[in-house]
Amino acid sequence: MPQTPEPFDLSSYIPYRLAVAAERTSAALARRYREEFGISVAEWRVLVHVSDAGAVSIRDIHQRVHLEKSKVSRAASRLEEAGYLIKEVNGQDRRLLALRLTDKGQDLMAQLLPIAQAFQTQLKQLLDSQLEAFDSALQVLMEDDL
Amino acid sequence: MPQTPEPFDLSSYIPYRLAVAAERTSAALARRYREEFGISVAEWRVLVHVSDAGAVSIRDIHQRVHLEKSKVSRAASRLEEAGYLIKEVNGQDRRLLALRLTDKGQDLMAQLLPIAQAFQTQLKQLLDSQLEAFDSALQVLMEDDL
DNA sequence: CAGTATTCGTTGCACTTGCAACGGTGTCAA
DNA sequence: TTGACACCGTTGCAAGTGCAACGAATACTG
């Protein structure tokens, strides 16, 4: 019996499908604001959290938005250099930073958020009846031990 | 009316959820063979396609497994250097390469494939009743224009 | 044919990434 | 108070990445 190296169908392999779908989705979103605003995905996540939560530390962002702390640090530095946010030292604990949006940063978010919302709406329409199951599947993959 | 910068919940944002789920899944899989076999995700995809399709070109792999051609080229070079595959020139069209697994490469796949299959099984069990909808949602995200 | 255009895989380059290590700061117990 | 320890953000470094440009090979066109 020849040991056929049992064919493996990558295109039905969940980690692969997930990676491709995520990459396409991120790329589609990035297209919508990278060229116009020069914002990367990492910077986008930092902006969202700072915009939402006010004065946050690098560590806060790291924990909340699933980014390496060095990635957060560098994204924040780029955003600071671009004038979208400022870094202050936290008075309570001087190891911590307190990141805040500048006016320019708030203007930026006022432009970015509608784009992001529209994309979310588009995706929801696309997924339609599968949305609910899709979402709870993602929840499992985001939280369970793998 | 103060223009509240309408809160944006990143944790319910599909591109974000998808990215996190994909990253966790890929990381979990990579853990299972990176340390033991020293194989990256790109190399894994190349291996799978070469293992499946026999003598393939860089371009074939590029189109089939969603990898930049330079990424494929470099992954293939690493795999060649590690002795898992060989590059021959295609006799019909000498611009093309024909990648093939070596015996060592086939041995490697014989070890990797069961691990990959087991992980797929684990994921299917985890997703369970949502699996079908999840899969067709991924199909949409992989194929439709976004 | 000759000459141009196209395709293939590689590579140079600038940039990003992950990881470990670092200095600066705070905590806690002796 | 002092010393050991833990935590924060940054950075050095090696490796990986995307993109454009390249030489080699082939296809096309007149």
Coordinates of all heavy atoms in Angstrom, one line a residue, chain B residues 46-58 61 76 79-92 96-107 109:
Chain B
V46 N 3.7 27.3 2.0 CA 4.5 26.8 0.8 C 4.6 25.3 0.9 O 4.4 24.6 -0.1 CB 5.9 27.4 0.8 CG1 6.8 26.8 -0.3 CG2 5.8 28.9 0.5
L47 N 4.9 24.8 2.0 CA 5.1 23.3 2.1 C 3.8 22.6 1.8 O 3.8 21.6 1.1 CB 5.4 23.0 3.6 CG 6.9 23.2 4.0 CD1 7.1 23.0 5.5 CD2 7.8 22.2 3.2
V48 N 2.7 23.1 2.3 CA 1.4 22.4 2.0 C 1.1 22.4 0.5 O 0.8 21.3 0.0 CB 0.2 23.2 2.7 CG1 -1.1 22.7 2.2 CG2 0.3 23.0 4.2
H49 N 1.4 23.5 -0.2 CA 1.0 23.5 -1.6 C 2.0 22.6 -2.4 O 1.6 21.9 -3.3 CB 1.0 24.9 -2.1 CG 0.4 25.0 -3.5 ND1 -0.8 24.5 -3.8 CD2 0.9 25.5 -4.7 CE1 -1.1 24.7 -5.1 NE2 0.0 25.3 -5.6
V50 N 3.2 22.7 -2.0 CA 4.2 21.8 -2.7 C 3.9 20.3 -2.4 O 3.9 19.5 -3.3 CB 5.7 22.2 -2.3 CG1 6.6 21.2 -2.9 CG2 6.0 23.6 -2.7
S51 N 3.6 20.1 -1.2 CA 3.2 18.7 -0.8 C 2.0 18.2 -1.6 O 2.0 17.1 -2.1 CB 3.0 18.6 0.7 OG 2.5 17.4 1.0
D52 N 1.0 19.1 -1.8 CA -0.2 18.7 -2.5 C 0.0 18.6 -4.0 O -0.4 17.6 -4.6 CB -1.2 19.8 -2.2 CG -2.2 19.4 -1.2 OD1 -1.9 18.6 -0.3 OD2 -3.4 19.8 -1.3
A53 N 0.6 19.6 -4.5 CA 0.5 19.8 -6.0 C 1.8 19.3 -6.7 O 1.9 19.5 -7.9 CB 0.2 21.2 -6.3
G54 N 2.8 18.8 -6.0 CA 3.9 18.3 -6.7 C 4.9 19.4 -7.1 O 5.2 20.2 -6.3
A55 N 5.2 19.4 -8.4 CA 6.1 20.4 -9.0 C 5.4 21.7 -9.3 O 4.7 21.8 -10.3 CB 6.8 19.8 -10.2
V56 N 5.6 22.7 -8.4 CA 4.9 23.9 -8.6 C 5.9 25.1 -8.7 O 7.0 25.0 -8.2 CB 3.9 24.2 -7.4 CG1 2.7 23.3 -7.5 CG2 4.6 24.0 -6.1
S57 N 5.4 26.1 -9.4 CA 6.3 27.3 -9.5 C 6.0 28.3 -8.4 O 5.0 28.2 -7.6 CB 6.0 28.0 -10.8 OG 4.7 28.5 -10.8
I58 N 6.9 29.2 -8.2 CA 6.7 30.3 -7.2 C 5.4 31.0 -7.5 O 4.6 31.3 -6.6 CB 7.8 31.3 -7.3 CG1 9.2 30.7 -7.0 CG2 7.6 32.5 -6.4 CD1 9.4 30.4 -5.6
I61 N 2.3 29.1 -6.3 CA 2.1 29.2 -4.9 C 1.5 30.6 -4.6 O 0.6 30.7 -3.8 CB 3.4 28.9 -4.2 CG1 3.9 27.6 -4.5 CG2 3.2 29.0 -2.7 CD1 5.3 27.3 -4.0
A76 N 10.7 29.8 0.2 CA 11.2 28.7 -0.6 C 12.7 28.5 -0.4 O 13.2 27.4 -0.2 CB 10.8 28.8 -2.0
L79 N 13.4 27.1 2.9 CA 13.1 25.7 3.0 C 14.1 24.9 2.2 O 14.4 23.8 2.6 CB 11.7 25.5 2.4 CG 10.5 26.0 3.3 CD1 9.2 26.0 2.5 CD2 10.4 25.2 4.6
E80 N 14.6 25.5 1.1 CA 15.6 24.8 0.3 C 16.9 24.7 1.2 O 17.5 23.6 1.3 CB 15.9 25.5 -0.9 CG 16.9 24.8 -1.8 CD 17.3 25.6 -3.1 OE1 17.4 26.9 -2.9 OE2 17.6 25.1 -4.1
E81 N 17.2 25.8 1.8 CA 18.5 25.7 2.6 C 18.4 24.7 3.8 O 19.4 24.1 4.2 CB 18.8 27.1 3.2 CG 20.1 27.2 3.9 CD 20.6 28.6 4.0 OE1 19.8 29.6 3.6 OE2 21.7 28.8 4.3
A82 N 17.1 24.6 4.3 CA 16.9 23.7 5.4 C 16.8 22.2 4.9 O 16.7 21.3 5.6 CB 15.7 24.0 6.1
G83 N 16.8 22.1 3.5 CA 16.8 20.7 3.0 C 15.5 20.1 2.8 O 15.3 18.9 2.6
Y84 N 14.4 20.9 2.9 CA 13.1 20.4 2.8 C 12.5 20.3 1.4 O 11.6 19.6 1.1 CB 12.1 21.2 3.7 CG 12.4 21.1 5.1 CD1 12.5 22.2 5.9 CD2 12.5 19.8 5.8 CE1 12.8 22.1 7.3 CE2 12.8 19.7 7.1 CZ 12.9 20.9 7.9 OH 13.2 20.8 9.2
L85 N 13.1 21.2 0.5 CA 12.7 21.1 -0.9 C 13.8 21.5 -1.8 O 14.8 22.0 -1.4 CB 11.4 22.0 -1.1 CG 11.5 23.5 -0.8 CD1 12.2 24.3 -1.8 CD2 10.0 24.0 -0.8
I86 N 13.6 21.2 -3.1 CA 14.6 21.6 -4.1 C 14.0 22.4 -5.2 O 12.8 22.3 -5.4 CB 15.3 20.3 -4.7 CG1 14.2 19.4 -5.3 CG2 16.2 19.6 -3.7 CD1 14.7 18.3 -6.1
K87 N 14.7 23.3 -5.8 CA 14.3 24.1 -6.9 C 14.9 23.6 -8.1 O 16.1 23.5 -8.3 CB 14.7 25.5 -6.7 CG 14.2 26.3 -5.5 CD 14.7 27.7 -5.5 CE 14.4 28.4 -4.2 NZ 15.1 29.7 -4.1
E88 N 14.0 23.2 -9.1 CA 14.5 22.8 -10.4 C 14.0 23.8 -11.4 O 13.0 24.5 -11.1 CB 14.1 21.4 -10.8 CG 14.5 20.4 -9.8 CD 13.9 19.0 -10.1 OE1 12.8 19.0 -10.8 OE2 14.4 18.0 -9.6
V89 N 14.6 23.9 -12.5 CA 14.0 24.8 -13.6 C 13.1 24.0 -14.4 O 13.4 22.8 -14.7 CB 15.1 25.4 -14.5 CG1 15.8 26.5 -13.7 CG2 16.1 24.4 -14.9
N90 N 12.0 24.6 -14.7 CA 11.0 23.9 -15.6 C 11.5 23.8 -17.0 O 11.9 24.8 -17.6 CB 9.7 24.7 -15.5 CG 8.6 24.1 -16.3 OD1 8.8 23.6 -17.4 ND2 7.4 24.2 -15.8
G91 N 11.5 22.6 -17.5 CA 12.0 22.4 -18.8 C 11.2 23.1 -19.9 O 11.8 23.6 -20.9
Q92 N 9.9 23.1 -19.8 CA 9.1 23.7 -20.8 C 9.3 25.2 -20.9 O 9.4 25.8 -21.9 CB 7.6 23.5 -20.5 CG 7.3 22.1 -19.9 CD 7.6 21.0 -20.8 OE1 7.5 21.1 -22.0 NE2 8.0 19.8 -20.3
L96 N 10.3 29.5 -15.3 CA 9.6 28.9 -14.1 C 10.5 28.0 -13.3 O 11.3 27.3 -13.9 CB 8.3 28.1 -14.6 CG 7.3 28.9 -15.3 CD1 6.2 28.0 -15.8 CD2 6.7 30.0 -14.4
L97 N 10.2 27.9 -12.0 CA 10.8 26.9 -11.2 C 9.8 25.8 -11.0 O 8.6 25.9 -11.2 CB 11.2 27.5 -9.8 CG 12.3 28.5 -9.7 CD1 12.5 28.9 -8.3 CD2 13.6 27.9 -10.4
A98 N 10.4 24.6 -10.6 CA 9.6 23.5 -10.2 C 10.0 23.1 -8.8 O 11.1 22.5 -8.7 CB 9.7 22.4 -11.2
L99 N 9.2 23.4 -7.8 CA 9.6 23.1 -6.5 C 9.1 21.7 -6.1 O 7.9 21.4 -6.4 CB 9.0 24.1 -5.5 CG 9.3 25.6 -5.8 CD1 8.7 26.5 -4.7 CD2 10.8 25.8 -5.8
R100 N 9.9 20.9 -5.5 CA 9.5 19.6 -5.0 C 10.0 19.3 -3.6 O 11.1 19.8 -3.3 CB 10.2 18.5 -5.9 CG 9.7 18.5 -7.4 CD 10.6 17.5 -8.2 NE 10.5 17.9 -9.6 CZ 9.6 17.5 -10.4 NH1 8.5 16.8 -9.9 NH2 9.6 17.8 -11.7
L101 N 9.3 18.6 -2.9 CA 9.8 18.2 -1.6 C 10.9 17.2 -1.7 O 10.9 16.3 -2.6 CB 8.6 17.6 -0.7 CG 7.5 18.5 -0.3 CD1 6.6 17.7 0.7 CD2 8.1 19.7 0.4
T102 N 11.9 17.3 -0.8 CA 12.8 16.2 -0.7 C 12.3 15.1 0.2 O 11.2 15.3 0.8 CB 14.1 16.7 0.0 OG1 13.8 17.2 1.3 CG2 14.7 17.9 -0.8
D103 N 13.0 14.1 0.4 CA 12.5 13.0 1.3 C 12.4 13.6 2.7 O 11.4 13.4 3.5 CB 13.5 11.9 1.4 CG 13.5 11.1 0.1 OD1 12.5 11.2 -0.7 OD2 14.4 10.3 -0.2
K104 N 13.4 14.4 3.1 CA 13.3 15.1 4.4 C 12.1 16.0 4.5 O 11.4 16.0 5.5 CB 14.6 16.0 4.6 CG 14.7 16.6 5.9 CD 16.0 17.5 6.0 CE 16.0 18.2 7.3 NZ 17.2 19.2 7.4
G105 N 11.7 16.6 3.4 CA 10.5 17.5 3.4 C 9.3 16.6 3.5 O 8.3 17.0 4.2
Q106 N 9.3 15.5 2.9 CA 8.1 14.6 3.1 C 8.0 14.1 4.5 O 6.9 13.9 5.0 CB 8.2 13.4 2.1 CG 8.1 13.9 0.6 CD 7.8 12.9 -0.4 OE1 7.2 11.8 0.0 NE2 8.0 13.1 -1.6
D107 N 9.1 13.8 5.1 CA 9.1 13.4 6.5 C 8.5 14.5 7.3 O 7.7 14.2 8.2 CB 10.5 13.0 7.0 CG 11.0 11.7 6.4 OD1 10.2 11.0 5.8 OD2 12.2 11.4 6.5
M109 N 6.5 16.8 6.5 CA 5.0 16.9 6.3 C 4.3 15.8 7.0 O 3.2 16.0 7.5 CB 4.7 17.0 4.8 CG 5.1 18.2 4.1 SD 4.5 19.7 5.0 CE 2.8 19.8 4.5

